[in-house]
Amino acid sequence: MGREAKRTFAPILVGLALLTGCSKEVTEHSAEIFAMNTLVSMTIWGHDSNQVIVESEHFIYAMEDQFSTTIPESDVYLLNHNQGEWMTVSPEIMEMLDFSRIMSEETQGSFNPLMYPLVTTWGFTTGQQQVPSSAAIAEAMVATDLSLLELDMDNNQVRLSQNAQVDLGGIAKGYTGDALAGYLHEKGVKSALISLGGNIYTLGYKADGSLWNIGIQNPYGAGSVGSVAVYNQAVITSGGYQRYFIFGDETYWHILDPATGYPAKSGLASVTIITDSGMYGDCLSTALFVMGLDKAIDYWQEHQDFEAVFIVDDGDVYVTGGIADSFTLSKGYQSGQLWEISS
Ligand code: AMP
Ligand code: MG
Protein backbone atom coordinates (compact mmCIF):
# COMPACT_ATOMS: atom_id res chain seq x y z
CA MET A 1 0.00 0.00 0.00
CA GLY A 2 1.42 3.42 -0.92
CA ARG A 3 2.05 6.01 1.70
CA GLU A 4 -0.67 8.36 0.53
CA ALA A 5 -3.27 5.58 0.50
CA LYS A 6 -2.36 4.68 4.03
CA ARG A 7 -2.48 8.28 5.17
CA THR A 8 -6.13 8.60 4.18
CA PHE A 9 -6.94 6.79 7.43
CA ALA A 10 -5.51 9.58 9.50
CA PRO A 11 -6.63 11.19 11.66
CA ILE A 12 -9.53 8.90 12.50
CA LEU A 13 -10.27 10.73 15.70
CA VAL A 14 -9.39 14.11 17.09
CA GLY A 15 -11.36 14.84 20.17
CA LEU A 16 -11.78 17.42 22.85
CA ALA A 17 -13.39 16.61 26.14
CA LEU A 18 -13.71 18.21 29.52
CA LEU A 19 -13.12 16.19 32.63
CA THR A 20 -14.94 17.68 35.53
CA GLY A 21 -12.94 17.20 38.71
CA CYS A 22 -14.07 18.22 42.17
CA SER A 23 -13.03 21.82 41.80
CA LYS A 24 -11.77 22.56 38.29
CA GLU A 25 -12.10 21.38 34.73
CA VAL A 26 -9.20 19.73 32.90
CA THR A 27 -9.10 19.86 29.13
CA GLU A 28 -8.38 16.67 27.24
CA HIS A 29 -7.28 16.39 23.61
CA SER A 30 -6.75 13.08 21.86
CA ALA A 31 -6.04 11.56 18.47
CA GLU A 32 -5.69 8.13 16.96
CA ILE A 33 -3.77 7.51 13.75
CA PHE A 34 -2.37 4.58 11.84
CA ALA A 35 1.40 4.92 11.55
CA MET A 36 4.49 2.69 11.81
CA ASN A 37 2.28 -0.28 10.91
CA THR A 38 0.29 0.08 14.06
CA LEU A 39 -2.37 2.06 15.86
CA VAL A 40 -0.95 5.14 17.55
CA SER A 41 -3.03 6.98 20.12
CA MET A 42 -2.21 9.98 22.22
CA THR A 43 -4.04 12.05 24.79
CA ILE A 44 -2.87 15.21 26.49
CA TRP A 45 -4.48 16.79 29.54
CA GLY A 46 -4.46 20.30 30.88
CA HIS A 47 -3.09 21.95 27.76
CA ASP A 48 -5.37 24.32 25.94
CA SER A 49 -4.24 23.87 22.35
CA ASN A 50 -5.43 21.15 20.01
CA GLN A 51 -2.62 22.35 17.74
CA VAL A 52 -0.14 20.35 19.83
CA ILE A 53 -2.00 17.14 19.04
CA VAL A 54 -2.10 17.95 15.32
CA GLU A 55 1.65 18.72 15.37
CA SER A 56 2.24 15.44 17.22
CA GLU A 57 0.63 13.53 14.37
CA HIS A 58 2.96 15.24 11.89
CA PHE A 59 5.85 14.48 14.22
CA ILE A 60 5.09 10.74 14.12
CA TYR A 61 4.63 10.69 10.34
CA ALA A 62 7.97 12.49 9.95
CA MET A 63 9.63 9.79 12.06
CA GLU A 64 7.97 7.05 10.04
CA ASP A 65 9.17 8.72 6.83
CA GLN A 66 12.74 8.27 8.05
CA PHE A 67 12.60 4.84 9.70
CA SER A 68 10.29 2.79 7.50
CA THR A 69 11.81 -0.13 5.57
CA THR A 70 9.03 -0.02 2.98
CA ILE A 71 8.45 3.68 2.16
CA PRO A 72 10.72 4.13 -0.89
CA GLU A 73 11.90 7.64 0.04
CA SER A 74 12.74 6.81 3.66
CA ASP A 75 16.35 7.10 4.90
CA VAL A 76 16.31 3.43 5.91
CA TYR A 77 14.95 2.31 2.53
CA LEU A 78 17.58 4.36 0.68
CA LEU A 79 20.30 3.01 2.97
CA ASN A 80 19.14 -0.57 2.35
CA HIS A 81 19.38 0.00 -1.40
CA ASN A 82 22.64 1.93 -1.44
CA GLN A 83 24.78 -0.82 -2.99
CA GLY A 84 27.49 -0.89 -0.36
CA GLU A 85 28.30 2.84 -0.61
CA TRP A 86 28.59 5.31 2.29
CA MET A 87 25.42 7.31 2.88
CA THR A 88 24.63 10.30 5.06
CA VAL A 89 21.65 9.64 7.34
CA SER A 90 19.73 11.70 9.88
CA PRO A 91 21.15 12.10 13.41
CA GLU A 92 18.10 10.14 14.65
CA ILE A 93 19.02 7.07 12.58
CA MET A 94 22.66 7.44 13.53
CA GLU A 95 21.70 7.45 17.21
CA MET A 96 19.52 4.36 16.85
CA LEU A 97 22.13 2.43 14.88
CA ASP A 98 24.85 3.32 17.35
CA PHE A 99 22.64 2.34 20.30
CA SER A 100 21.55 -0.87 18.54
CA ARG A 101 25.16 -1.82 18.01
CA ILE A 102 25.90 -1.34 21.71
CA MET A 103 22.76 -3.29 22.71
CA SER A 104 23.67 -6.08 20.34
CA GLU A 105 27.00 -6.48 22.09
CA GLU A 106 25.45 -6.09 25.53
CA THR A 107 22.83 -8.80 24.83
CA GLN A 108 25.30 -11.14 23.12
CA GLY A 109 23.58 -10.76 19.79
CA SER A 110 19.98 -11.26 20.93
CA PHE A 111 19.19 -7.76 19.64
CA ASN A 112 20.31 -7.24 16.06
CA PRO A 113 19.53 -4.17 13.88
CA LEU A 114 20.37 -6.07 10.65
CA MET A 115 17.42 -8.49 10.73
CA TYR A 116 15.73 -7.17 7.58
CA PRO A 117 16.91 -9.94 5.20
CA LEU A 118 15.63 -12.58 7.66
CA VAL A 119 12.37 -10.74 8.38
CA THR A 120 11.78 -10.50 4.60
CA THR A 121 12.59 -14.19 4.06
CA TRP A 122 9.84 -15.03 6.55
CA GLY A 123 7.51 -12.66 4.64
CA PHE A 124 6.72 -10.42 7.61
CA THR A 125 7.32 -7.26 5.59
CA THR A 126 5.12 -8.22 2.66
CA GLY A 127 2.29 -9.85 4.58
CA GLN A 128 3.00 -13.05 2.61
CA GLN A 129 4.28 -15.06 5.52
CA GLN A 130 5.82 -18.44 4.85
CA VAL A 131 8.17 -20.95 6.39
CA PRO A 132 11.36 -20.52 4.34
CA SER A 133 13.72 -23.33 3.37
CA SER A 134 16.67 -23.82 5.71
CA ALA A 135 18.96 -22.80 2.81
CA ALA A 136 17.12 -19.47 2.47
CA ILE A 137 17.38 -18.89 6.23
CA ALA A 138 21.10 -19.71 6.22
CA GLU A 139 21.68 -17.30 3.33
CA ALA A 140 19.78 -14.48 5.05
CA MET A 141 21.64 -15.08 8.31
CA VAL A 142 24.96 -14.34 6.62
CA ALA A 143 23.71 -10.80 5.99
CA THR A 144 22.98 -10.17 9.69
CA ASP A 145 26.62 -10.12 10.78
CA LEU A 146 27.22 -6.86 12.66
CA SER A 147 30.62 -6.42 10.97
CA LEU A 148 28.69 -5.54 7.79
CA LEU A 149 27.46 -2.32 9.45
CA GLU A 150 29.96 0.55 9.52
CA LEU A 151 29.22 3.86 11.23
CA ASP A 152 31.14 7.09 10.80
CA MET A 153 29.78 8.94 13.82
CA ASP A 154 31.59 12.22 13.07
CA ASN A 155 29.96 12.60 9.66
CA ASN A 156 26.60 10.83 10.20
CA GLN A 157 27.55 8.31 7.55
CA VAL A 158 26.64 4.63 7.30
CA ARG A 159 27.77 1.83 5.02
CA LEU A 160 26.21 -1.62 4.67
CA SER A 161 28.12 -4.37 2.87
CA GLN A 162 27.15 -7.63 1.20
CA ASN A 163 23.35 -7.57 1.18
CA ALA A 164 23.10 -6.37 4.78
CA GLN A 165 19.90 -4.41 5.45
CA VAL A 166 18.76 -2.45 8.47
CA ASP A 167 15.47 -3.10 10.32
CA LEU A 168 14.71 -0.66 13.12
CA GLY A 169 11.40 -2.39 13.98
CA GLY A 170 12.73 -3.46 17.38
CA ILE A 171 13.82 0.02 18.50
CA ALA A 172 12.07 2.75 16.45
CA LYS A 173 8.80 2.86 18.40
CA GLY A 174 10.74 3.28 21.62
CA TYR A 175 12.82 6.04 20.10
CA THR A 176 9.74 7.77 18.68
CA GLY A 177 7.91 7.63 22.02
CA ASP A 178 10.86 9.25 23.79
CA ALA A 179 11.14 11.93 21.11
CA LEU A 180 7.42 12.68 21.18
CA ALA A 181 7.33 12.84 24.97
CA GLY A 182 10.29 15.27 24.82
CA TYR A 183 8.50 17.38 22.23
CA LEU A 184 5.29 17.53 24.31
CA HIS A 185 7.30 18.47 27.38
CA GLU A 186 8.89 21.35 25.42
CA LYS A 187 5.42 22.52 24.43
CA GLY A 188 4.49 22.78 28.07
CA VAL A 189 2.39 19.61 28.29
CA LYS A 190 2.50 18.27 31.83
CA SER A 191 0.33 15.18 31.50
CA ALA A 192 0.12 12.87 28.46
CA LEU A 193 -0.35 9.24 27.54
CA ILE A 194 1.06 7.96 24.24
CA SER A 195 0.55 4.45 22.89
CA LEU A 196 2.46 3.19 19.86
CA GLY A 197 0.97 -0.22 19.19
CA GLY A 198 0.79 -1.04 22.88
CA ASN A 199 4.14 0.56 23.72
CA ILE A 200 3.14 3.12 26.31
CA TYR A 201 4.71 6.42 27.33
CA THR A 202 3.51 8.32 30.34
CA LEU A 203 4.43 11.98 30.58
CA GLY A 204 4.16 13.29 34.13
CA TYR A 205 1.30 12.16 36.35
CA LYS A 206 -2.37 11.77 35.52
CA ALA A 207 -4.29 15.03 35.45
CA ASP A 208 -5.55 14.40 39.00
CA GLY A 209 -1.97 13.95 40.24
CA SER A 210 -2.16 10.18 40.65
CA LEU A 211 -0.06 7.44 39.02
CA TRP A 212 -0.98 5.83 35.70
CA ASN A 213 -2.13 2.23 35.88
CA ILE A 214 -0.84 0.65 32.68
CA GLY A 215 -2.39 -2.67 31.77
CA ILE A 216 -0.23 -5.51 30.45
CA GLN A 217 -1.97 -7.43 27.70
CA ASN A 218 -2.90 -11.05 28.34
CA PRO A 219 -0.95 -12.92 25.60
CA TYR A 220 -3.51 -15.74 25.68
CA GLY A 221 -6.73 -13.82 25.31
CA ALA A 222 -8.67 -10.67 25.97
CA GLY A 223 -7.98 -8.31 28.84
CA SER A 224 -4.90 -7.78 30.91
CA VAL A 225 -2.71 -9.98 33.08
CA GLY A 226 -2.21 -7.12 35.46
CA SER A 227 -1.20 -3.49 35.66
CA VAL A 228 1.76 -1.49 36.76
CA ALA A 229 1.55 1.93 38.45
CA VAL A 230 4.06 4.40 36.96
CA TYR A 231 4.71 8.04 36.07
CA ASN A 232 7.10 9.60 33.56
CA GLN A 233 8.11 6.17 32.29
CA ALA A 234 7.88 3.99 29.22
CA VAL A 235 6.16 0.59 29.46
CA ILE A 236 7.25 -1.41 26.41
CA THR A 237 6.02 -4.89 25.51
CA SER A 238 7.26 -7.50 23.04
CA GLY A 239 5.15 -10.59 22.55
CA GLY A 240 4.70 -13.41 20.11
CA TYR A 241 0.96 -12.69 20.03
CA GLN A 242 1.54 -9.26 18.44
CA ARG A 243 2.32 -10.52 14.92
CA TYR A 244 2.32 -14.16 13.85
CA PHE A 245 1.06 -16.74 11.40
CA ILE A 246 0.10 -20.37 11.83
CA PHE A 247 1.29 -23.12 9.50
CA GLY A 248 0.48 -26.72 10.26
CA ASP A 249 0.46 -27.04 14.03
CA GLU A 250 3.09 -24.35 14.57
CA THR A 251 2.81 -20.66 15.35
CA TYR A 252 5.55 -18.49 13.84
CA TRP A 253 6.03 -14.96 15.14
CA HIS A 254 7.91 -11.84 14.14
CA ILE A 255 10.59 -11.80 16.84
CA LEU A 256 13.43 -13.84 15.42
CA ASP A 257 16.39 -15.40 17.16
CA PRO A 258 19.49 -14.09 15.36
CA ALA A 259 21.34 -17.26 16.41
CA THR A 260 18.97 -19.63 14.59
CA GLY A 261 17.13 -17.47 12.05
CA TYR A 262 13.82 -18.89 13.36
CA PRO A 263 11.16 -17.25 15.54
CA ALA A 264 12.47 -17.07 19.10
CA LYS A 265 10.81 -19.87 21.09
CA SER A 266 12.37 -19.24 24.44
CA GLY A 267 9.43 -20.16 26.67
CA LEU A 268 8.28 -16.55 27.02
CA ALA A 269 4.89 -15.31 25.83
CA SER A 270 5.71 -11.65 26.45
CA VAL A 271 8.24 -9.32 28.02
CA THR A 272 7.37 -5.87 29.34
CA ILE A 273 10.10 -3.39 30.23
CA ILE A 274 9.54 -0.38 32.49
CA THR A 275 12.19 2.28 32.08
CA ASP A 276 12.91 6.00 31.70
CA SER A 277 14.18 5.46 28.16
CA GLY A 278 11.77 3.98 25.64
CA MET A 279 14.63 3.31 23.22
CA TYR A 280 16.40 1.20 25.82
CA GLY A 281 13.14 -0.49 26.83
CA ASP A 282 12.32 -1.33 23.21
CA CYS A 283 15.71 -2.95 22.57
CA LEU A 284 15.46 -4.83 25.86
CA SER A 285 11.92 -6.14 25.37
CA THR A 286 12.95 -7.69 22.06
CA ALA A 287 16.32 -8.98 23.32
CA LEU A 288 15.04 -10.48 26.58
CA PHE A 289 12.17 -12.15 24.70
CA VAL A 290 14.83 -13.86 22.56
CA MET A 291 16.95 -14.82 25.62
CA GLY A 292 14.23 -16.54 27.64
CA LEU A 293 13.46 -16.23 31.34
CA ASP A 294 16.66 -17.57 32.92
CA LYS A 295 19.05 -15.45 30.89
CA ALA A 296 16.72 -12.45 31.16
CA ILE A 297 16.79 -12.73 34.96
CA ASP A 298 20.60 -12.86 34.89
CA TYR A 299 20.60 -9.81 32.65
CA TRP A 300 18.33 -7.87 35.02
CA GLN A 301 20.37 -8.87 38.06
CA GLU A 302 23.56 -7.68 36.36
CA HIS A 303 22.18 -4.38 35.08
CA GLN A 304 19.34 -3.33 37.42
CA ASP A 305 18.67 -0.13 35.45
CA PHE A 306 15.19 -1.19 34.31
CA GLU A 307 12.26 -3.24 35.62
CA ALA A 308 10.41 -6.03 33.84
CA VAL A 309 7.34 -8.26 33.76
CA PHE A 310 7.78 -11.67 32.12
CA ILE A 311 4.83 -13.87 31.17
CA VAL A 312 5.92 -17.43 30.52
CA ASP A 313 4.30 -20.01 28.27
CA ASP A 314 2.58 -21.80 31.17
CA GLY A 315 0.91 -18.52 32.21
CA ASP A 316 3.02 -17.68 35.27
CA VAL A 317 3.99 -14.04 35.73
CA TYR A 318 7.43 -12.92 37.00
CA VAL A 319 8.06 -9.33 38.10
CA THR A 320 11.41 -7.81 39.04
CA GLY A 321 11.90 -6.66 42.63
CA GLY A 322 11.84 -2.92 41.92
CA ILE A 323 8.25 -2.96 40.68
CA ALA A 324 6.82 -5.82 42.69
CA ASP A 325 4.95 -3.32 44.88
CA SER A 326 3.56 -1.37 41.93
CA PHE A 327 2.33 -4.42 40.04
CA THR A 328 -1.21 -5.75 40.56
CA LEU A 329 -2.38 -9.04 39.08
CA SER A 330 -5.81 -8.77 37.44
CA LYS A 331 -8.53 -10.44 39.50
CA GLY A 332 -9.77 -12.28 36.43
CA TYR A 333 -6.34 -13.67 35.49
CA GLN A 334 -6.29 -17.31 36.49
CA SER A 335 -3.81 -18.79 34.02
CA GLY A 336 -0.84 -18.68 36.35
CA GLN A 337 0.85 -17.55 39.54
CA LEU A 338 2.73 -14.34 40.35
CA TRP A 339 6.44 -14.56 41.28
CA GLU A 340 8.86 -11.86 42.39
CA ILE A 341 12.44 -11.88 41.10
CA SER A 342 14.84 -10.66 43.76
CA SER A 343 18.16 -8.99 43.14
P1 AMP B 1 9.50 -5.64 19.01
O1 AMP B 1 8.06 -5.65 18.72
O2 AMP B 1 10.02 -4.36 19.58
O3 AMP B 1 9.97 -6.81 19.80
O4 AMP B 1 10.26 -5.70 17.62
C1 AMP B 1 10.02 -6.75 16.70
C2 AMP B 1 10.44 -6.27 15.34
O5 AMP B 1 11.85 -6.05 15.33
C3 AMP B 1 10.16 -7.30 14.26
O6 AMP B 1 8.94 -7.04 13.62
C4 AMP B 1 11.35 -7.12 13.33
O7 AMP B 1 11.11 -6.04 12.45
C5 AMP B 1 12.48 -6.74 14.26
N1 AMP B 1 13.18 -7.88 14.87
C6 AMP B 1 12.83 -9.21 14.89
N2 AMP B 1 13.72 -9.92 15.61
C7 AMP B 1 14.64 -9.02 16.08
C8 AMP B 1 15.83 -9.15 16.87
N3 AMP B 1 16.24 -10.33 17.36
N4 AMP B 1 16.54 -8.01 17.12
C9 AMP B 1 16.13 -6.81 16.65
N5 AMP B 1 15.04 -6.63 15.90
C10 AMP B 1 14.31 -7.73 15.61
MG1 MG C 1 11.55 -3.84 20.80
PDB file of all heavy atoms in Angstrom, residues 48 101 183 197 259 267 332:
ATOM      1  N   ASP A  48      -4.180  23.776  26.591  1.00  0.00           N
ATOM      2  CA  ASP A  48      -5.370  24.316  25.943  1.00  0.00           C
ATOM      3  C   ASP A  48      -5.366  24.270  24.421  1.00  0.00           C
ATOM      4  O   ASP A  48      -6.326  24.661  23.788  1.00  0.00           O
ATOM      5  CB  ASP A  48      -5.641  25.740  26.428  1.00  0.00           C
ATOM      6  CG  ASP A  48      -4.428  26.629  26.232  1.00  0.00           C
ATOM      7  OD1 ASP A  48      -3.504  26.174  25.548  1.00  0.00           O
ATOM      8  OD2 ASP A  48      -4.412  27.739  26.789  1.00  0.00           O
ATOM      9  N   ARG A 101      23.887  -1.104  18.060  1.00  0.00           N
ATOM     10  CA  ARG A 101      25.157  -1.823  18.013  1.00  0.00           C
ATOM     11  C   ARG A 101      25.629  -2.132  19.438  1.00  0.00           C
ATOM     12  O   ARG A 101      26.056  -3.249  19.740  1.00  0.00           O
ATOM     13  CB  ARG A 101      26.170  -0.925  17.290  1.00  0.00           C
ATOM     14  CG  ARG A 101      27.364  -1.639  16.764  1.00  0.00           C
ATOM     15  CD  ARG A 101      28.144  -0.786  15.812  1.00  0.00           C
ATOM     16  NE  ARG A 101      28.459   0.547  16.348  1.00  0.00           N
ATOM     17  CZ  ARG A 101      29.384   1.350  15.836  1.00  0.00           C
ATOM     18  NH1 ARG A 101      30.060   0.969  14.784  1.00  0.00           N
ATOM     19  NH2 ARG A 101      29.617   2.540  16.348  1.00  0.00           N
ATOM     20  N   TYR A 183       9.112  16.284  22.979  1.00  0.00           N
ATOM     21  CA  TYR A 183       8.500  17.377  22.225  1.00  0.00           C
ATOM     22  C   TYR A 183       7.293  17.957  22.995  1.00  0.00           C
ATOM     23  O   TYR A 183       7.143  19.174  23.128  1.00  0.00           O
ATOM     24  CB  TYR A 183       8.080  16.844  20.860  1.00  0.00           C
ATOM     25  CG  TYR A 183       7.156  17.731  20.089  1.00  0.00           C
ATOM     26  CD1 TYR A 183       7.642  18.816  19.378  1.00  0.00           C
ATOM     27  CD2 TYR A 183       5.783  17.483  20.078  1.00  0.00           C
ATOM     28  CE1 TYR A 183       6.787  19.640  18.666  1.00  0.00           C
ATOM     29  CE2 TYR A 183       4.919  18.296  19.376  1.00  0.00           C
ATOM     30  CZ  TYR A 183       5.430  19.379  18.674  1.00  0.00           C
ATOM     31  OH  TYR A 183       4.574  20.189  17.990  1.00  0.00           O
ATOM     32  N   GLY A 197       1.189   1.218  19.298  1.00  0.00           N
ATOM     33  CA  GLY A 197       0.968  -0.225  19.187  1.00  0.00           C
ATOM     34  C   GLY A 197       1.163  -0.939  20.511  1.00  0.00           C
ATOM     35  O   GLY A 197       1.787  -2.001  20.564  1.00  0.00           O
ATOM     36  N   ALA A 259      20.439 -16.107  16.369  1.00  0.00           N
ATOM     37  CA  ALA A 259      21.344 -17.261  16.414  1.00  0.00           C
ATOM     38  C   ALA A 259      20.836 -18.433  15.579  1.00  0.00           C
ATOM     39  O   ALA A 259      21.621 -19.280  15.151  1.00  0.00           O
ATOM     40  CB  ALA A 259      21.538 -17.709  17.857  1.00  0.00           C
ATOM     41  N   GLY A 267      10.274 -19.863  25.502  1.00  0.00           N
ATOM     42  CA  GLY A 267       9.433 -20.162  26.668  1.00  0.00           C
ATOM     43  C   GLY A 267       8.715 -18.942  27.199  1.00  0.00           C
ATOM     44  O   GLY A 267       7.974 -19.037  28.172  1.00  0.00           O
ATOM     45  N   GLY A 332      -9.258 -11.243  37.339  1.00  0.00           N
ATOM     46  CA  GLY A 332      -9.773 -12.277  36.433  1.00  0.00           C
ATOM     47  C   GLY A 332      -8.692 -13.177  35.848  1.00  0.00           C
ATOM     48  O   GLY A 332      -8.987 -14.138  35.149  1.00  0.00           O
TER      49      GLY A 332
END
